[in-house]
Amino acid sequence: AALRAGIERARVVVHGIVDRHGRVTEAKVIESSQPGYGFERAALEAVWRWRYMPILIDGKRWSLERTFEVPFERPAAAD
């Protein structure tokens, strides 16, 4: 749908919580440059799959809130 609409790029901002093991435990889309074309769902799926280095304070791992920016760009056409 996005390609048919001529959308070349999109950007989705997701706010979430990363637990002390580096896994995302909560995630919510807070901004989308092209709403309604499926970018939001794809961004959430990507953020849920990623793993992060947890924050260390005095040698202990802590969970943290974080904002993720997920860019989408149409691949260049193959010649």
Side-chain angles (χ1 to χ4, degrees):
L3 288 177
R4 284 191 301 272
I7 296 172
E8 303 263 334
R9 292 187 182 96
R11 182 177 140 277
V12 178
V13 180
V14 176
H15 182 78
I17 296 177
V18 177
D19 72 10
R20 61 190 193 98
H21 301 289
R23 292 188 283 279
V24 174
T25 59
E26 293 180 35
K28 177 182 175 182
V29 172
I30 58 173
E31 183 183 329
S32 178
S33 66
Q34 300 291 342
Y37 289 97
F39 294 109
E40 299 86 355
R41 183 170 155 181
L44 285 171
E45 288 173 1
V47 167
W48 283 108
R49 282 194 313 264
W50 296 341
R51 295 294 177 255
Y52 302 89
M53 182 69 72
I55 190 168
L56 289 173
I57 300 175
D58 294 329
K60 292 175 75 175
R61 296 177 184 204
W62 294 84
S63 62
L64 68 134
E65 288 188 48
R66 168 146 190 208
T67 300
F68 310 92
E69 187 172 315
V70 185
F72 294 90
E73 188 167 332
R74 181 179 179 181
D79 293 327

